[in-house]
Amino acid sequence: MSLRLEAVGLGLAYRGRAAFAGVDLAMEPGTLTAVVGPSGCGKTSFLACLNRLDELVPGAAVQGRVLLDGADVRGPAVDVVGLRRRVGMIFQRPTPFPLSIRRNLDLPLREHGVRDRAERAARAEAALRDVGLWAEVKDRLDRPALALSGGQQQRLCIARALALRPEVLLLDEPCSALDPLASGVVEDLVRDLGARFTRVVVTHNLAQARRIADQVAVFWVRDGVGRLVEVGPTAAIFEDPQDPDTAAYVRGIRG
Amino acid sequence: MRTAERPRWRGLAAAGVVHGAALAVLGAFAWILGDLLVAGLGQVDWAFLTAPPQDAGRAGGVGPILASTGILLAICLVVAVPLGLGAAIFLAEFTPAEGRLGRLVRRSLDVLAGVPSIVFGLFGNVLFCKTLGLGFSLLSGGLTLACMALPLIIRTAEASLRAVPPGLRQSAVALGMSRTSVVRHLLLPAAAPGLLAGFVLGVGRALAETAALIFTSGYVDRLPESILDSGRALSVHIYDLSMNVPGGDHRAAASALVLVVALLAINGASALAMGRFGRRLGAR
Ligand SMILES: Nc1ncnc2c1ncn2[C@@H]1O[C@H](COP(=O)(O)OP(=O)(O)OP(=O)(O)O)[C@@H](O)[C@H]1O
Ligand SMILES: [Mg+2]
């Protein structure tokens, strides 16, 4: 089941220096939101706030709220482990664990209390099928994950998150470390996951955003702080942008 | 033309220096080993390795001494490895790299690692032999060795834990994994080769130690019956034979050969283990 995610007045500062601020953005259930904008405008920082990964950075302070299905993810009753199961994150560089392919999927499942071995195996297989990797790896599940190609590694990372049955997927430039072919495979995969997940994809590739996104959010640096300058349905952003920076950006003039 | 030639000449000179240095190191090692082989090989046989020394070591073998050395090493490792690993995990994972506490602990460890072993010997003598009442014993010696090896083990272990790519931690946390299981299932395996290297360095230092042991485990060359007995380590035996026993030089060479071979064997075994482990994880 996919859930609605909403940022309200969201901002993040590293040791008192604001990376981005004042972001109001609603991500409807099952939609794909593309987050675009020039380097350093706070896209990665924004994603990190959505599943509380900012807590890994000493001195990072969050303002505003993130609502998952209406409830604040920083509320006192929220358990962060459960939150991160429900809101999965994929990084720019594939980060398989230096373990076997099987262990890569097994370890997080075990961590989340899936005791039954057969069930873990079944969920791992389903996730690998979801990302189209099953046929490629089913005979080498006990081989090291690091021996896979970059594109396969990235799909393994997506499978690893999917095995936990998340409701939201955050993807930070999931294709930018891959060659064009592997990039196309991952892009299709993210699109075809479809309404099962609410997806937020950071990308520098505007053509890609145009192909896969339901809505596009444009970040821009204003006075040294990242701001959400425009958000709307994909067609509107690309064909009729309101903000002058957005207009120049989507026409490829700036950014 | 000149500009093209000069760097080339310099490159050759630099290569010469580098190769020369490498050859010098290799040569020195070969010389020592060759010397020991010539002087000692004829005497090393099964009887030498198992028999007790006679006539202050001029005759007989090193059996009890090997046993004492093994026990000393075992005590050192049993204490230093868990403590060292724990401290390294604390430093690498639970204190920020530039934090005050971390810096202080690291600085102290670096100082400790450079303290001459005789100081550790005197310290161990006061603390373990006298204050804790353990007397001259293998236990006192092993604990002193552990104190000496700890700084080395902690620092190398911390460095290898910190060398694990941050992306690994980040993605594990993003999957909802707890700190402890990240350490247990990911960081320790990923850092294992470095950890092993640290332990081997520590063992090497302990195995080669003389000064610290004379004051703590003593130099009784009988076969120890418990870890509270005094016992003589191999390096102490070599020292004693060459300094205090006229006519003991040939036995000193034979014992030194045994010591060097033991060191080489430990190094070889750990290299083998690292290779196995690396293949299993698929890291290159
Ligand atoms: N861990 C950190 N500590 C301090 N400052 C940081 C940290 N991470 C990011 N920043 C700063 O926050 C700002 C936004 O960075 P962020 O990585 O979110 O941008 P981005 O839009 O993802 O950029 P890119 O497109 O290059 O990935 C930058 O000015 C950056 O220097
Ligand atoms: Mg980024």
Side-chain angles (χ1 to χ4, degrees), chain A residues 53-137:
Chain A
L53 268 193
D54 57 89
E55 288 167 7
L56 278 185
V57 183
V62 177
Q63 287 167 348
R65 289 182 303 160
V66 176
L67 305 177
L68 179 63
D69 201 19
D72 191 342
V73 300
R74 271 161 234 277
V78 173
D79 102 276
V80 64
V81 170
L83 171 73
R84 289 178 181 148
R85 182 196 69 69
R86 300 170 71 194
V87 182
M89 177 120 173
I90 311 297
F91 300 89
Q92 176 171 6
R93 313 186 112 245
T95 50
F97 301 143
L99 305 167
S100 72
I101 296 171
R102 191 194 305 278
R103 280 282 280 169
N104 259 275
L105 294 149
D106 211 47
L107 203 54
L109 282 170
R110 234 196 259 203
E111 184 82 10
H112 286 279
V114 184
R115 295 258 173 279
D116 183 36
R117 204 165 207 247
E119 166 157 19
R120 286 201 306 268
R123 279 169 72 162
E125 178 178 341
L128 285 172
R129 281 187 195 282
D130 271 341
V131 299
L133 206 52
W134 178 248
E136 289 161 59
V137 303

Side-chain angles (χ1 to χ4, degrees), chain A residues 15 51 53 56 81 84 87 89 91 95-99 103 107-108 111-112 144 146 160-161 164, chain B residues 96 98 167-178 181 185-186 189-190 279-283:
Chain A
R15 295 189 195 284
N51 74 346
L53 268 193
L56 278 185
V81 170
R84 289 178 181 148
V87 182
M89 177 120 173
F91 300 89
T95 50
F97 301 143
L99 305 167
R103 280 282 280 169
L107 203 54
E111 184 82 10
H112 286 279
L146 291 179
R160 199 168 59 183
L164 300 178
Chain B
E98 324 84 48
L168 200 62
R169 262 183 210 92
Q170 208 184 22
S171 58
V173 172
L175 287 163
M177 287 175 66
S178 69
S181 51
H185 296 296
L186 295 174
R279 267 200 301 288
R280 198 156 66 79
L281 297 182

Side-chain angles (χ1 to χ4, degrees), chain A residues 12-15 17-20 35-48 57-60 92 172-173 202-204 219 221 224 226:
Chain A
L12 178 67
Y14 295 105
R15 295 189 195 284
R17 250 195 81 240
F20 74 95
V35 176
V36 301
S39 206
C41 63
K43 305 181 295 292
T44 298
S45 308
F46 172 71
L47 274 202
V57 183
Q92 176 171 6
D172 191 0
E173 303 186 42
V202 171
T203 177
H204 278 290
F219 278 59
V221 180

